[in-house]
Amino acid sequence: MEPPDQKELYTQHSTVFKASVQFLAGVCGGAVSAVAMQPCDTVKTKMQTFPFLFRTGFHCFRNTIHKESYRGLLKGLVPSMLGNVAKNSIVFMTYGVCQNGVQNFCNIQDERQMTVFHNASAFALAGCFVSLAMCPTDLLKCRLQASYHMTSLSMDTTLLASGPLSLARQVFQIEGMRGLYVGLFSTWLKYSPGGFLYMFAYESSRYVLAKDKQRRDQVGPIKTMISGAVAGISFYLVMYPLDVVKSRIQILSTTNNSMGIWQTGKEIWYTGGARHLYKGLSAALLRTSVGNGVFFVVYEYSRKFLLQYLK
């Protein structure tokens, strides 16, 4: 007798059970992918914030190792991992709930009838929740990654600290809870409208790579990894300028020169043109292709394992 497939198992359990499985799978995928992405993420953040210091991503990589050793590439790993775990666990837990909402709103009787557009819309709704979790952790991660160059350029280092907990404590003591949510609107734009593009690219890629009569969740680990990489690359090709602006706002707010999205974008454009809005893109594409490929493989197979083990 063949074991029940994932879809049958999924429909046998309550909404709470499904959300719990999505949450745990998101935790597993988020933790593993955060470690895989961190060196490239550090390079990306530095090039976004200090575009005049580095010629290429490789130059930034070598400079970081030379000045700060290999540990410099892993600065901000703890808040990055916490943020990645929080982001993926929350977004995929709420993704299922939002899928039900979209299904009811569009009067779709069977979840299997939901199109790529429906799933992408549900993911965008889930992005509203994840932006609340990601804004503080993104802020701490970016400031820790940029701390060495903030000090060397003699910028105001009042809010720079040696670790994430001490930095969070200092930000909260000086600026209160509001200080941890600097850049919230740009974070929301990144994870909600950007989330729609991200999931649309992922589901479309799985649809294209699936063989005849094969469901999207049966494409295998290699094609799942490819689909995750396509999703991440598509996301950053469109949303990267906004990510540059967000990083600049969250880091330079320590110098008492924080501006809004529009003002920051104009300043970057006037000082460096479009080239500075895409500074560090190569590192970001490498980061996202590796990180999202790893994430979706771990996520999909963790979910399948949990559904079958806990049935």
Side-chain angles (χ1 to χ4, degrees):
M1 181 178 178
E2 294 184 357
D5 68 20
Q6 183 187 3
K7 188 67 186 181
E8 291 172 348
L9 286 170
Y10 211 60
T11 57
Q12 291 171 3
H13 299 289
S14 67
T15 301
V16 174
F17 176 82
K18 296 175 187 178
S20 300
V21 168
Q22 296 272 40
F23 177 84
L24 292 173
V27 168
C28 294
V32 175
S33 61
V35 177
M37 292 189 296
Q38 187 62 20
C40 290
D41 189 65
T42 298
V43 171
K44 173 185 74 73
T45 300
K46 287 187 174 186
M47 294 190 70
Q48 287 176 337
T49 310
F50 311 107
F52 47 86
L53 291 180
F54 309 109
R55 296 186 301 273
T56 63
F58 184 67
H59 176 223
C60 180
F61 180 84
R62 287 177 53 194
N63 180 272
T64 300
I65 294 177
H66 178 69
K67 298 287 181 64
E68 305 174 62
S69 80
Y70 288 96
R71 291 196 303 173
L73 293 171
L74 297 177
K75 277 188 176 180
L77 176 59
V78 173
S80 179
M81 182 176 291
L82 290 175
N84 211 38
V85 167
K87 176 187 74 173
N88 289 300
S89 59
I90 293 173
V91 76
F92 281 94
M93 181 178 65
T94 55
Y95 175 47
V97 177
C98 292
Q99 275 184 316
N100 290 337
V102 171
Q103 185 177 341
N104 293 332
F105 180 79
C106 297
N107 197 27
I108 299 172
Q109 301 300 320
D110 191 336
E111 185 180 324
R112 286 171 290 189
Q113 296 174 344
M114 293 183 71
T115 64
V116 170
F117 179 82
H118 291 139
N119 287 324
S121 298
F123 201 80
L125 290 174
C128 296
F129 297 96
V130 80
S131 61
L132 295 174
M134 284 303 296
C135 188
T137 55
D138 267 3
L139 181 138
L140 297 176
K141 171 184 70 70
C142 288
R143 290 187 183 180
L144 286 170
Q145 289 172 331
S147 60
Y148 176 86
H149 298 287
M150 293 283 283
T151 303
S152 63
L153 292 173
S154 299
M155 292 183 174
D156 180 8
T157 57
T158 303
L159 296 180
L160 295 179
S162 59
L165 291 179
S166 58
L167 177 57
R169 191 182 308 113
Q170 288 182 19
V171 172
F172 185 77
Q173 288 175 346
I174 295 174
E175 300 183 56
M177 184 63 71
R178 185 179 177 182
L180 292 170
Y181 281 90
V182 170
L184 177 60
F185 183 60
S186 55
T187 303
W188 175 80
L189 289 175
K190 177 181 177 180
Y191 289 112
S192 191
F196 177 90
L197 171 65
Y198 178 77
M199 184 54 68
F200 189 90
Y202 175 67
E203 293 288 358
S204 297
S205 298
R206 289 208 299 172
Y207 179 81
V208 170
L209 293 173
K211 297 178 181 178
D212 292 339
K213 298 181 180 180
Q214 188 180 44
R215 295 198 311 271
R216 290 195 295 264
D217 62 344
Q218 296 176 325
V219 297
I222 300 300
K223 292 180 179 179
T224 298
M225 184 173 287
I226 292 172
S227 298
V230 169
I233 290 171
S234 301
F235 172 82
Y236 266 115
L237 286 175
V238 176
M239 302 299 292
Y240 193 77
L242 176 66
D243 192 52
V244 172
V245 171
K246 181 185 77 67
S247 294
R248 191 76 67 94
I249 290 172
Q250 292 185 316
I251 292 173
L252 296 186
S253 62
T254 61
T255 66
N256 299 317
N257 290 321
S258 178
M259 297 183 293
I261 295 176
W262 180 248
Q263 294 91 336
T264 303
K266 283 200 302 184
E267 182 185 18
I268 295 172
W269 179 270
Y270 289 145
T271 56
R275 188 166 59 92
H276 278 196
L277 285 171
Y278 282 92
K279 194 76 171 180
L281 178 61
S282 58
L285 293 181
L286 178 60
R287 166 192 178 273
T288 197
S289 58
V290 172
N292 284 286
V294 170
F295 169 78
F296 275 110
V297 170
V298 175
Y299 167 78
E300 294 287 357
Y301 283 88
S302 296
R303 185 177 62 169
K304 288 181 180 180
F305 171 79
L306 290 169
L307 286 171
Q308 293 180 3
Y309 181 77
L310 300 175
K311 63 181 178 178

